[in-house]
Amino acid sequence: YLGHALSTWGDRMWHFAVSVFLVELYGNSLLLTAVYGLVVAGSVLLLGALIGDWVDKNSRLKVAQTSLVVQNSSVILCGVILMIIFLFKTQLLTLYHGWLLTLCYILVITIANIANLASTATAITIQRDWIVVVAGEDRSKLADMNATIRRIDQLTNILAPMAVGQIMTFGSPMIGCGFISGWNLMSMCVEYLLLWKVYQKTPTLARKSAKVEASELKQLNVKKESDVKPAEGVQLIVEKDVSGFEPQQEKEVGCAARIAEPFITFRDGWVAYYNQPVFLAGMGLAFLYMTVLGFDCITTGYAYTQGLSGSVLSLLMGASAVTGIMGTVAFTWLRRKCGLIRTGLISGAAQFACLILCAISVFMPGSPMDLSVSPFADISARLFENEPLPTIASPEPEIIFATGMPNLLNGSIAPANSDPEMSPEPVPLISVSLLFAGVIAARVGLWSFDLTVTQLLQENVIESERGIINGVQNSMNYLLDLLHFIMVILAPNPEAFGLLVLISVSFVAMGHIMYFRFAQKSLGKQLFVCHTPDPKAAPDSSPPGNTSTV
């Protein structure tokens, strides 16, 4: 837990700070931040299966230590480069017509992306593999450990950005870079030692050696004729993994085969994911990423247009963290009372019920929703015209970003020199209040549902496929997250935000419908019998590496 807390604290500080640094460096423009987000999402989408396959093929300690060192070293290097840019930005602008500075930006985004990929590998191996082995066959212990890790995530989500934000506010961005680099250096050493200590105290973690894993894969090959649905996906990965344990024979493989191997791994990973019995549950979780109903930069920006101050937003974020922690408590209680699969059903219903408030808020007083305003007005004006948008009369360039928002901004801020006709009354807060009430309340069901699907993946995926299946799951999550950003890019004005809310609620509903179908197939007529244990409860004869035979 201490190692995870240190790792998560560093991650949250870096993810918050790098976006602020990129905005600061590029003249208060979101371009670099948008490029960084696109590169990160695209990389995990394309490389998620390959990262998971690498996790499966190597020993647990090697994977954990390598990803830890690569992640922290990348952040440290990125921090040093950013410090150099902040110190010598003026000189870099004059060298080679600014191309050297552009190269530095590309270098920062590339290294930061490597850090994120290493962080993905760390999350897969620790949160999806190590924790299962440490818990052994005790599923209640596994649920409690998952919930504790998620509570740590919730706390660090709030506290870490606050800490680094204060340092950057009262110091400078350069001091913030130095602090984050120093933190990651210290954290890397401590985490390295903690990983080694956990590895020594848990002998079963060492069983994932090449020899043992090879024998395990042979057993899977023997049993594949009796397997039903997962057989095709398992066979694909098994054949590939077994080849990895005969390096002397594989040296004769031609260049074309080596080039094709990553693509084959990518295909096999997605096929194996599709053949998993928990496929629909994983897809249901991924669909929850296609939403603007969270505390990201999009919803925060919309809240600013509705007149909410930064202090109010910080309080709302704190409230969301509290409800998220309540969700982890609800998960452990519901799982004991109703079983794991039914916990996901109850959590999904609770989340969707709360999000109905968000849908209602779209039609309440104060909502800027106006479908008569084209969501493509900003894009067409910026791409096909060389002058400011015709709706903006003020010569100040920064107001260009307020397209379609002057009434809202002036209604809440009311500057002294504003036209009285532009701001007759403050914007009603009924709509935005309902929106955030629904978002905050839904966090209880959201995090309980997230923990449910996480444990279903832990319990129902065999050990030899655990890395690649969770890698593909991460890819699916990033794919839907990427689609939600594209959706916002296509309709960026506040008048279209209500439509985005309705689309988000629809995707959440589709995700929970998928999960309901999975639960129905798994439990059948026992679906609504709350006190009946799940049929996939831990079999007494299961080995630790395969604690839930499907």
Side-chain angles (χ1 to χ4, degrees):
Y1 294 140
L2 178 59
H4 179 72
L6 289 172
S7 175
T8 308
W9 185 278
D11 281 350
R12 298 300 182 266
M13 283 199 306
W14 172 245
H15 287 312
F16 172 80
V18 70
S19 300
V20 177
F21 292 152
L22 293 175
V23 171
E24 182 80 18
L25 287 173
Y26 207 67
N28 293 325
S29 170
L30 294 174
L31 178 62
L32 285 182
T33 305
V35 171
Y36 169 69
L38 186 64
V39 169
V40 165
S43 298
V44 178
L45 175 62
L46 295 175
L47 302 177
L50 300 179
I51 293 172
D53 183 61
W54 175 74
V55 171
D56 286 332
K57 282 184 175 181
N58 293 277
S59 66
R60 291 188 174 95
L61 187 61
K62 177 185 176 181
V63 169
Q65 291 178 339
T66 303
S67 56
L68 173 68
V69 171
V70 171
Q71 177 191 356
N72 287 276
S73 300
S74 299
V75 172
I76 293 169
L77 180 59
C78 227
V80 172
I81 295 174
L82 285 170
M83 289 175 68
I84 295 173
I85 295 175
F86 278 119
L87 279 174
F88 303 106
K89 184 178 180 181
T90 306
Q91 293 88 325
L92 290 172
L93 274 170
T94 60
L95 292 174
Y96 303 103
H97 305 286
W99 283 104
L100 186 58
L101 182 61
T102 303
L103 180 63
C104 290
Y105 291 153
I106 295 173
L107 195 61
V108 167
I109 291 175
T110 303
I111 298 174
N113 184 46
I114 293 172
N116 184 74
L117 292 175
S119 176
T120 301
T122 302
I124 291 174
T125 189
I126 300 298
Q127 299 181 35
R128 301 293 189 269
D129 186 27
W130 280 48
I131 190 174
V132 180
V133 177
V134 171
E137 297 184 17
D138 190 344
R139 296 192 175 188
S140 296
K141 182 180 179 181
L142 178 61
D144 292 337
M145 293 177 71
N146 283 328
T148 302
I149 283 180
R150 199 64 83 239
R151 288 168 198 149
I152 294 172
D153 291 341
Q154 291 293 314
L155 290 174
T156 52
N157 270 337
I158 299 299
L159 299 178
M162 287 174 57
V164 74
Q166 297 301 315
I167 293 171
M168 293 168 59
T169 300
F170 294 102
S172 67
M174 192 179 71
I175 295 176
C177 291
F179 176 78
I180 291 174
S181 297
W183 173 275
N184 278 271
L185 180 61
M186 179 275 295
S187 176
M188 177 175 64
C189 299
V190 176
E191 288 177 60
Y192 198 93
L193 293 175
L194 290 173
L195 282 175
W196 175 247
K197 205 167 189 63
V198 172
Y199 190 79
Q200 284 184 318
K201 287 188 173 182
T202 313
T204 49
L205 287 172
R207 291 183 183 175
K208 194 185 175 182
S209 61
K211 184 177 179 180
V212 174
E213 188 171 354
S215 62
E216 178 194 8
L217 294 174
K218 288 177 182 177
Q219 291 175 4
L220 289 173
N221 278 328
V222 170
K223 294 194 297 181
K224 69 182 179 182
E225 294 181 358
S226 61
D227 291 340
V228 189
K229 291 186 177 180
E232 179 183 356
V234 170
Q235 184 179 357
L236 286 168
I237 296 181
V238 165
E239 290 174 352
K240 173 175 62 58
D241 284 350
V242 170
S243 66
F245 297 105
E246 299 175 358
Q248 292 79 6
Q249 299 177 8
E250 291 297 326
K251 287 182 180 178
E252 302 299 326
V253 175
C255 182
R258 292 187 180 279
I259 294 174
E261 184 178 1
F263 300 98
I264 296 173
T265 301
F266 179 84
R267 182 203 65 189
D268 291 353
W270 284 87
V271 170
Y273 178 75
Y274 175 77
N275 287 322
Q276 292 297 314
V278 291
F279 166 71
L280 286 175
M283 284 294 294
L285 176 63
F287 265 60
L288 303 191
Y289 282 76
M290 177 65 177
T291 177
V292 296
L293 302 175
F295 281 89
D296 55 6
C297 56
I298 295 168
T299 309
T300 303
Y302 173 76
Y304 272 113
T305 70
Q306 298 300 289
L308 297 185
S309 64
S311 60
V312 172
L313 279 173
S314 64
L315 291 175
L316 292 176
M317 291 181 69
S320 73
V322 172
T323 54
I325 294 173
M326 290 170 59
T328 64
V329 176
F331 164 74
T332 55
W333 184 82
L334 283 172
R335 184 195 165 278
R336 284 196 298 268
K337 296 293 182 181
C338 303
L340 183 61
I341 295 178
R342 298 182 193 88
T343 297
L345 276 179
I346 298 170
S347 303
Q351 182 194 7
F352 183 75
C354 294
L355 291 182
I356 295 297
L357 292 176
C358 301
I360 295 173
S361 73
V362 172
F363 307 101
M364 298 301 290
S367 172
M369 183 175 176
D370 185 2
L371 297 182
S372 64
V373 177
S374 172
F376 306 104
D378 287 358
I379 299 174
S380 60
R382 291 172 187 269
L383 291 179
F384 305 113
E385 298 180 17
N386 294 324
E387 56 186 29
L389 297 178
T391 55
I392 302 298
S394 172
E396 298 181 11
E398 62 270 15
I399 304 183
I400 293 175
F401 296 98
T403 303
M405 297 190 294
N407 290 338
L408 298 175
L409 290 171
N410 293 334
S412 57
I413 301 174
N417 59 351
S418 62
D419 187 347
E421 295 183 0
M422 293 289 290
S423 56
E425 294 292 337
V427 178
L429 296 178
I430 298 176
S431 176
V432 72
S433 299
L434 275 177
L435 175 70
F436 279 97
V439 170
I440 292 172
R443 309 294 276 188
V444 178
L446 170 65
W447 288 111
S448 179
F449 183 79
D450 175 84
L451 282 168
T452 299
V453 177
T454 296
Q455 185 153 343
L456 283 170
L457 288 168
Q458 290 170 335
E459 292 182 357
N460 293 288
V461 176
I462 60 174
E463 183 177 351
S464 59
E465 292 184 344
R466 203 173 282 157
I468 196 167
I469 297 302
N470 283 283
V472 175
Q473 179 66 50
N474 283 342
S475 296
M476 281 300 308
N477 297 345
Y478 271 94
L479 174 61
L480 273 297
D481 192 45
L482 189 61
L483 291 178
H484 118 265
F485 277 112
I486 293 173
M487 179 176 68
V488 176
I489 290 171
L490 293 177
N493 51 339
E495 291 85 359
F497 190 80
L499 183 61
L500 302 185
V501 169
L502 296 178
I503 294 174
S504 299
V505 174
S506 301
F507 268 85
V508 171
M510 285 189 284
H512 290 310
I513 289 172
M514 290 181 185
Y515 184 85
F516 178 81
R517 179 58 183 153
F518 157 76
Q520 193 178 42
K521 290 171 64 178
S522 301
L523 300 182
K525 295 180 180 180
Q526 302 293 326
L527 182 60
F528 299 105
V529 183
C530 196
H531 293 285
T532 301
D534 294 343
K536 293 182 178 63
D540 296 335
S541 60
S542 294
N546 186 16
T547 56
S548 61
T549 304
V550 178

